[in-house]
Amino acid sequence: MRAEALKGHLDGLLLAALEEGPQHGYAVKEALRESTEGRIDLPSGTIYPALHRLEQAGLITGTWSVVGGRRRRTYELTSDGREALSGERDRWQEFAGAVTAALRTRPWPTTT
Amino acid sequence: MRAEALKGHLDGLLLAALEEGPQHGYAVKEALRESTEGRIDLPSGTIYPALHRLEQAGLITGTWSVVGGRRRRTYELTSDGREALSGERDRWQEFAGAVTAALRTRPWPTTT
DNA sequence: CTTCATAAGTAGCATTGCTATATATAGCGA
DNA sequence: TCGCTATATATAGCAATGCTACTTATGAAG
């Protein structure tokens, strides 16, 4: 997967992963990897800064905890986040439809 | 359409627009706008630098001409460009599939 | 003569995901 | 005990890319 492909679409994926319920960063990463059958496997240098951005934007809230001796930051969608997710889904539909249309082969000016 | 959404996908769209036959920049812009029903309407500051990049990458070749008093640079796909377009289409399929899967609502761990 | 569509271009910016690297704990195998 | 792997989080700095804003120029319409 080319590096830039994801640009502008990551936030939606992270929000979607958190829709199922509160998750910590590492779990989000795993969830994304599983839901896409390994096609989207983000490095930690992508996922953590992105979660920080989302938190600062007020779309998720995080709380620290310690589980099994390891500290965790568990994130949860805010209501703004839920709204944003809905918007991201809409925009993805629109975007994907447009790109698919533009990418479609148009063999020749048929009488459309 | 959010600014970053297109990042990493523009090249494929431009190549696809040129698949129908040689076109100059402005015509590519129009073709893209029409094939997406106005959803993708690129500013000239996006389209011309991008075409330059594609030319430098050897995916398209351009030739100057003057039509109706206005100078034009007409671009044409190279064989590398054709190959690249095919690759872009594949990658788009893969990417779109992955994002769609990740964005899908998973209401709850049903017995899937 | 002004305005709009056509046609091409560039400088500089903002955003964003990635690489590389660091820290720390738990558990397993040798 | 030592080393390795998985878990868990984090940051500095980079590279890439599309966009904004602006410029230049012609032809047609009013």
Side-chain angles (χ1 to χ4, degrees):
Chain A
M1 172 107 47
R2 164 191 280 144
E4 284 79 24
L6 207 54
K7 286 205 177 174
H9 305 285
L10 177 59
D11 292 6
L13 305 190
L14 298 178
L15 294 174
L18 287 170
E19 194 186 29
E20 297 164 79
Q23 301 282 341
H24 60 287
Y26 197 86
V28 166
K29 170 186 148 74
E30 294 300 299
L32 221 44
R33 196 164 53 78
E34 273 157 40
S35 71
T36 62
E37 283 143 340
R39 286 171 293 181
I40 295 181
D41 191 4
L42 304 173
S44 71
T46 291
I47 206 133
Y48 293 112
L51 289 170
H52 297 336
R53 279 200 294 266
L54 290 177
E55 188 172 22
Q56 277 213 308
L59 304 183
I60 60 179
T61 42
T63 48
W64 283 109
S65 62
V66 176
V67 177
R70 292 194 196 85
R71 64 185 197 136
R72 278 187 182 171
R73 189 150 180 88
T74 303
Y75 293 103
E76 194 174 355
L77 284 185
T78 64
S79 59
D80 277 4
R82 240 166 253 284
E83 229 174 292
L85 173 55
S86 163
E88 294 284 352
R89 285 198 169 110
D90 289 349
R91 260 184 291 110
W92 168 252
Q93 286 296 326
E94 166 111 356
F95 173 73
V99 172
T100 299
L103 233 39
R104 185 152 22 233
T105 316
R106 287 174 297 281
W108 230 82
T110 46
T111 37
T112 325
Chain B
M1 173 109 46
R2 161 192 281 147
E4 284 79 25
L6 208 53
K7 283 204 179 173
H9 306 286
L10 177 59
D11 292 7
L13 303 189
L14 298 178
L15 295 174
L18 287 170
E19 195 187 28
E20 297 165 79
Q23 301 281 341
H24 60 287
Y26 197 86
V28 166
K29 170 186 149 71
E30 294 300 300
L32 221 44
R33 195 164 53 78
E34 272 158 40
S35 70
T36 62
E37 284 143 339
R39 285 171 292 180
I40 295 182
D41 190 3
L42 304 172
S44 72
T46 291
I47 207 132
Y48 293 114
L51 288 170
H52 298 336
R53 278 201 295 267
L54 291 177
E55 189 173 21
Q56 276 212 309
L59 304 183
I60 60 178
T61 42
T63 47
W64 283 109
S65 62
V66 175
V67 176
R70 291 195 195 84
R71 65 187 195 134
R72 279 187 181 171
R73 188 151 181 88
T74 303
Y75 293 102
E76 194 173 355
L77 283 186
T78 64
S79 58
D80 277 5
R82 242 166 251 284
E83 230 173 293
L85 173 54
S86 164
E88 294 285 352
R89 285 200 170 108
D90 289 349
R91 261 183 292 111
W92 168 253
Q93 287 295 327
E94 166 111 356
F95 172 72
V99 172
T100 299
L103 233 38
R104 184 151 23 232
T105 316
R106 286 174 297 283
W108 230 81
T110 45
T111 37
T112 324

